[in-house]
Every structure is written in C-alpha cells, then in structure tokens.
Amino acid sequence: MATEATPRGGYLDILRAPHAVRLLTGTLVGRLPNGVGPIALTLFVRDQGGSYTLAGGLIAAYGVATAVGQPLLGRAVDLKGQPWVQLPAAVLSALGMVLLALTGIGNLPLAYAAVVVAGLFTPPLEGGLRALWPSVLGREDRIHRAYALDAVAQEVMFTVGPLLLTLLVSLWSPAAALLVVNVLGVLGALVVVLSEPSRTWRSGTREAHWLGALRSPGLLALLGSFFFVGLALGSITVSAVAYADDRGTPSVYGWLMAALGLGALLGGVAYGARQWAGAPERRLRVLVLLLAVCYLPLALTPGPVAMAGLSVLSGVFLAPVLACAFIVVDRHAPRGTVTEAFSWLVTTFGVGSALGSAAAGPVVELAGTASGFAVAGAGGLAALLVLLATGRVLGAATAPPVTSDTPGDEGRHAVTAGAPTSVHTEKNTH
C-alpha cells in the first residue's frame, strides 16, 4: 500500500471546513439511540423485572427492524432529500422508545411493537453524512480523510455512549435514560437536517430499478465481504464475555472491549493521517488480510494483560477497513443510490455481527472460549476470500470519474483505479 504525503492540515483541515463539525457532531448524537440501543434495552428490561431472554428477544426485534429500515429509508433519502426523511424518521423512532419507556414490558406485544417501530425508523444518518462529504469538502483527498475521521468518530461514540447511558441510569433510572438518549437523538438529527448542506443536497438522477443500489455487482461483492467482517466482530463480543467468566472477573470484558476500541481509534487516526495511492479495492484486500491476521492470535487466550494487548492489536485495522470500504461503496454505488448503498453496508455489517454473536455462543459452549475467538479469525479470512474471489468485479467501478462542474452530478465522488487525483463532487440543487 503505497502512500503519498498528506496535504497540509490533516484532520484539522477537515474540521475547519464550513459545516463539517456541525454535521459530524449532529450525526454522532443522532445515532446515539441506535449505538446504545442493545445496552439500554437490557438495562430497562432487567429494571422492569424481565429476564435476559426477554431482553435478547427485544434486542433481536430491534436489530432486525433496523436492518430492514436502513436501506429503505436510505432509498427514500435519495429520492426525496434528507430533511423530509431523516427528521420524521428520528421522531418516529424516538416515539417507539418513548412508548416502551412509558408502558413497560407488561404488555409484550406492545413492547415488541414499540421496539420494531424504533428500529424500523432509525434514521440513516450514517449514510447521509457520507453522501454530504463531497459537497462540504470538495477535494478527493479531504473526502478520504473525512471517511477515516468518520470511522474514528464511530469508535469514540461506541465508547462514550455506554458511559453516558450508565451515568443517566445512575442519576435517574433506565426508563429515564431511554427517554433522554432518544431526545438527544432527535436533536442530533435536527442539527443535521437544518444545515445548508443537508437542506440543499440532492441525489443524482437514478435509473428506475427495483433492486436500487443492489444492482451493482461490485457493491454486492463488498457487502458479502462485510457480512463476514461483522460476523467476526460479533463473535468477539460473545467470546470476550466467556473469557471474562472463565477468569472469574466480569470487569475483564469491559477492558477487552475498551482495548479493541482503542486499537480501532489508533488505527483510524494513523490511516487517516496519510493520503493513500492506488486503487482502494486493492488496498481493501490488504487491510482485510491484516485484520484477519490480527484476529487469529485472540484464540491463544493468554492472561488478561496479554489478552488486552491482543485486543488492541485486533482493533487496529478495523477503522481503516471501514474507511476504505466507504470509498469502495462510493465508487460502485449506481447513480442516485449513494445513501441507500451506504445504508446497505450498515445493514449487512449489523446482520453479520448479530449472526456472529449467535454462532459464537454454541461454539463456546461446545468447544471452549478459544474456539469462540477462532470464529473471529475464520470470519476475517472468509471476508478476505470474498474479496479475492470477486476481484474482477470490484476492479470495475460503475461510474467513470467526472469533475465538479459536471451537470447533474450526484452526491458522491467516483475515482478510477490508479487515478487517485480525479475528483467527483456533488452539485447542490436549490
């Protein structure tokens, strides 16, 4: 993976751009309800006297509904614009959780209906932000660094979010925490949709096709790979719980997850500090290989200190893989489907993570904790095999590079293999 010198400014250059801090912060706050949703539901159900089985059922319903809703809402954003979809969806999602908080778990059908509504209408803010970066930042090198910054910010959210939730629970109650987090989510969405880039953004003219973004073979190949990346990460979560149980120290689980997040944070910062030359598809294969290799030592399950070190190592290439994948999505999403395409990536990753968690449980019970971590290594290798098997498909981007003055350009930038200086910026439609 060859590198080029990073243009002056680095991440500060991104954050100084008009609207950049507002969009990034609003998106992260808007995504907070979804980021802490499983933990919040578990704490709420247990506080209500419900079982872990019920908590798991509600979390599963919420996750499936979110997976279904994200690409559908992403397509709606591409067709109608961001404010007309993101804000109403955020309000409806929050109302679902408010209904659960107010009615409790006494009426199970109502409780399940509430979490399904909350999941189904989770606004696609993540995909929406990536669709906005070209219009906000312009130059391709800045957009690529923004994708890396985006991946780093996710790690911060998944670290700070649970801490904030815990603080709210300790100050009030799980029900109050659920209400506050979802109010914050609506405010975050509001901050985004009231910004000029969000209000004026329009997707390019799209070809009418029922498959939408999924008609791109390159995107399907990427989604297939990222299903296994998600599977690997989901299996680590369950295996880390089993490891902590084996050691008789439940707090070890938190330290391992924090170490993994630290590794991803460090890797994302380092990756975004450079401008990478060459085709992103080839770079993604190398990064996924390194990710898989760093997952494999987890199966050694050494003592807690050494295991924390391996957890840091296992996270180092996660954020770079995500950042590079965002560029690949950008290159392969058919015109007019950019938000939907990014939403499909979120959905596929989430489904893989859920199935990885489900698969790791029986593996740990039958063959031990080390075997559970081996699932992560196998998932990483499977992700690599998909990329290798589909190399020819991924090597052909669906759209040629165009310049920022091209009429009718959509909200993404496409780059051709081996041409890292071409720029495709979005045109705002007023």
Side-chain angles (χ1 to χ4, degrees):
M1 294 184 297
T3 65
E4 297 176 354
T6 302
R8 185 175 58 188
Y11 285 128
L12 287 179
D13 181 43
I14 302 300
L15 296 175
R16 288 170 181 158
H19 309 291
V21 171
R22 173 177 179 167
L23 292 173
L24 183 62
T25 304
T27 297
L28 290 176
V29 175
R31 292 178 55 211
L32 185 62
N34 186 250
V36 302
I39 302 174
L41 286 172
T42 300
L43 294 176
F44 176 77
V45 169
R46 294 298 294 162
D47 184 64
Q48 294 268 310
S51 65
Y52 283 110
T53 300
L54 175 58
L58 290 175
I59 291 170
Y62 178 70
V64 170
T66 303
V68 172
Q70 285 294 288
L72 295 177
L73 291 171
R75 181 177 295 195
V77 167
D78 288 327
L79 291 172
K80 302 296 183 182
Q82 294 201 2
W84 293 103
V85 178
Q86 302 278 34
L87 186 57
V91 171
L92 288 172
S93 178
L95 288 176
M97 285 301 189
V98 168
L99 177 62
L100 178 66
L102 295 179
T103 60
I105 59 174
N107 186 329
L108 286 183
L110 183 61
Y112 274 97
V115 298
V116 167
V117 168
L120 190 64
F121 289 101
T122 297
L125 292 168
E126 190 173 349
L129 175 63
R130 289 162 200 157
L132 292 176
W133 282 135
S135 63
V136 173
L137 301 175
R139 294 201 321 266
E140 177 190 308
D141 61 284
R142 300 175 83 196
I143 297 166
H144 288 190
R145 287 203 303 280
Y147 285 154
L149 180 62
D150 189 350
V152 169
Q154 288 188 61
E155 299 306 321
V156 173
M157 184 193 71
F158 286 119
T159 301
V160 174
L163 295 177
L164 174 61
L165 182 71
T166 302
L167 176 62
L168 293 172
V169 169
S170 65
L171 290 176
W172 294 303
S173 68
L178 205 57
L179 292 173
V180 172
V181 164
N182 279 274
V183 169
L184 289 175
V186 173
L187 292 177
L190 188 64
V191 166
V192 172
V193 301
L194 290 182
S195 68
E196 181 184 357
S198 180
R199 287 186 290 106
T200 59
W201 180 86
R202 295 294 182 274
S203 184
T205 303
R206 61 188 285 149
E207 175 189 346
H209 198 291
W210 69 276
L211 280 175
L214 295 183
R215 69 180 183 274
S216 166
L219 181 63
L220 289 175
L222 180 67
L223 296 180
S225 176
F226 259 68
F227 168 82
F228 289 107
V229 174
L231 184 145
L233 197 60
S235 67
I236 288 176
T237 302
V238 172
S239 301
V241 173
Y243 177 87
D245 288 343
D246 292 343
R247 301 286 165 170
T249 311
S251 62
V252 169
Y253 168 76
W255 286 109
L256 294 184
M257 291 298 97
L260 191 151
L262 175 62
L265 184 65
L266 295 174
V269 170
Y271 178 81
R274 302 291 302 179
Q275 182 182 355
W276 299 88
E281 290 84 0
R282 291 196 295 270
R283 184 163 67 253
L284 183 62
R285 287 195 288 270
V286 175
L287 290 171
V288 171
L289 169 63
L290 294 172
L291 182 71
V293 167
C294 290
Y295 280 160
L296 293 173
L298 291 172
L300 298 174
T301 59
V305 174
M307 194 64 178
L310 292 180
S311 296
V312 172
L313 180 64
S314 71
V316 166
F317 292 100
L318 179 59
V321 163
L322 291 172
C324 190
F326 299 158
I327 301 172
V328 176
V329 169
D330 216 6
R331 285 165 53 85
H332 289 272
R335 181 176 294 276
T337 67
V338 59
T339 311
E340 179 188 345
F342 278 122
S343 298
W344 273 116
L345 186 68
V346 174
T347 287
T348 305
F349 190 88
V351 170
S353 179
L355 291 180
S357 298
V363 170
V364 167
E365 290 180 355
L366 292 173
T369 301
S371 297
F373 282 114
V375 173
L381 293 175
L384 175 63
L385 289 176
V386 172
L387 293 178
L388 293 174
T390 58
R392 180 172 296 182
V393 171
L394 280 168
T398 61
V402 296
T403 57
S404 59
D405 59 354
T406 301
D409 184 18
E410 75 172 80
R412 64 189 181 95
H413 68 288
V415 289
T416 53
T421 57
S422 61
V423 178
H424 179 158
T425 56
E426 168 166 3
K427 301 296 287 184
N428 286 337
T429 303
H430 297 272

